[in-house]
Amino acid sequence: MEKTWRWFGKKDKITLPMLRQIGVEGIVTALHDIPNGEIWPIEAILDMKNYIEEAGLRWSVVESLPVSESIKYAGADRDLLIDNYIISLENLGKAGIKTICYNFMPVLDWARTDLNHIWSDGSSSLYFDRVQFAYFDMYILEREGAEKDYSQEIIDKTKDLDKTISESEKEQLIENIIIKTQGFVNGNITEEDKQPVALFKQLLALYDGIDRKALRDNMKYFLEKIMPICDQYEIDMCVHPDDPPYQLLGLPRIVTNEEDIEWFLKSVDNTHNGLTFCAGSLSAGIHNDVPALARKFASRTKFVHLRSTNVFENGNFIEASHLEGRGHLIELVQIFEKENPNLPMRVDHGRLMLDDGNKAYNPGYSFVGRMFALAQMDGVMATIKKLKL
Ligand code: DNO
């Protein structure tokens, strides 16, 4: 597989020459300065592409060309936004960039409650705690009817938590769930927003009355509209699975399991309608057998995220070592190497280790931790190739 790396553009503290030194071949990036919903001009795309190529790398994947909320909930301006999306795709196609990752998660992209869960060796990982999340939902957002979504055990634990949680811990939870993990991926809420919780509630309200079926219809509508331009430029669209792969905050999530993946692939049965196989996201749902999904959907997989998780009995999960856990990354490399040795893969997330903690990286996107994981995956790939496993 092609070794790629998520790089956040010219402002990223991790530079392209650094990435050359650690064996990265391709770059995964986006035009992060362009607001969600606006057209990506060809000049800006070419400028980024040239910058990457001058460093001896290639722009392998766009992650993400964001899908505006209005396209997801079918707002009045969705056709206009889809037209803009098509022009951006056309510009990318003209520039020769042909693998585009996106997601169809309403409001909240990925969710974590703790960005610094310490392991016994002193390094740290991202973590999701169901009680903390339920607390955010019931006590901070005060979402109507939220308690219906939780077991009595979780409800009781949130009551206990309410007796001990401090104001600064509440602030931290808000920051982790809706600011730090979201700002750099979809721009819905950023560090500059003064009242993030109120803003977040307004965003949630946009989805009143949008159930699973409606969201599926809206995804199909979007895919059908964009497939002609993808056919013309041979662009592969690859949707990112929902992270974690189950319903949250009363919002429908529709890329969570085998049936969901099968549904969107079949409902627009075009080879350019594909999947980002994010092993980390899929593995966080105990209903998913990750290697079985990889075998089944390898031919429609256009991009791979190598990451693993451990899910505990209470449903909490931690981002595990890339060599362990429910992601079964060694098997996945074997499956995908067979299917298509040119498939771009990136090591997704890494621990915070050594001096990573002082660098204020985007959560999950450390340098040393990711480099360590890349070296592990590189070793796995080399072994599988050399021994023809
Ligand atoms: C988090 C990422 C996601 C992903 C988007 C793709 O680390 O995996 O934010 O980039 O969902 O659209």
Side-chain angles (χ1 to χ4, degrees), residues 114-282:
D114 183 356
L115 310 182
N116 238 319
H117 198 85
I118 312 277
W119 292 87
S120 58
D121 62 12
S123 61
S124 73
S125 291
L126 307 179
Y127 190 87
F128 183 86
D129 181 302
R130 287 183 96 107
V131 174
Q132 297 263 342
F133 193 83
Y135 184 84
F136 166 78
D137 191 3
M138 286 189 273
Y139 287 76
I140 297 177
L141 285 183
E142 299 174 311
R143 182 171 65 87
E144 215 185 300
E147 58 293 339
K148 288 203 294 286
D149 293 351
Y150 300 103
S151 65
Q152 193 55 46
E153 191 190 347
I154 298 245
I155 293 175
D156 291 343
K157 288 192 170 146
T158 55
K159 279 188 193 141
D160 292 342
L161 179 60
D162 192 47
K163 292 180 196 133
T164 55
I165 192 167
S166 68
E167 285 309 308
S168 71
E169 283 167 338
K170 286 187 203 171
E171 285 305 316
Q172 188 68 59
L173 205 50
I174 295 170
E175 261 198 38
N176 293 349
I177 298 176
I178 63 176
I179 304 175
K180 289 236 167 77
T181 45
Q182 304 302 303
F184 75 98
V185 290
N186 64 16
N188 267 346
I189 298 198
T190 63
E191 310 259 349
E192 284 76 49
D193 290 313
K194 296 280 170 291
Q195 295 196 301
V197 174
L199 185 59
F200 191 75
K201 284 183 176 179
Q202 284 167 18
L203 287 162
L204 288 184
L206 296 171
Y207 286 85
D208 280 351
I210 306 287
D211 60 9
R212 238 177 112 65
K213 156 99 178 54
L215 191 64
R216 275 188 167 184
D217 289 348
N218 298 345
M219 183 174 181
K220 183 162 190 253
Y221 182 90
F222 165 72
L223 285 169
E224 279 171 346
K225 292 257 183 202
I226 63 171
M227 277 302 118
I229 203 79
C230 296
D231 287 338
Q232 191 179 337
Y233 288 95
E234 304 208 311
I235 292 174
D236 286 330
M237 294 299 296
C238 39
V239 71
H240 189 284
D242 304 334
D243 181 2
Y246 36 78
Q247 317 305 306
L248 293 177
L249 306 175
L251 295 165
R253 308 255 261 181
I254 55 170
V255 192
T256 63
N257 58 22
E258 180 177 350
E259 190 226 318
D260 283 350
I261 298 172
E262 195 147 32
W263 172 82
F264 86 82
L265 291 176
K266 282 212 174 119
S267 74
V268 180
D269 198 6
N270 180 323
T271 175
H272 299 301
N273 172 27
L275 175 69
T276 295
F277 196 97
C278 178
S281 306
L282 292 167

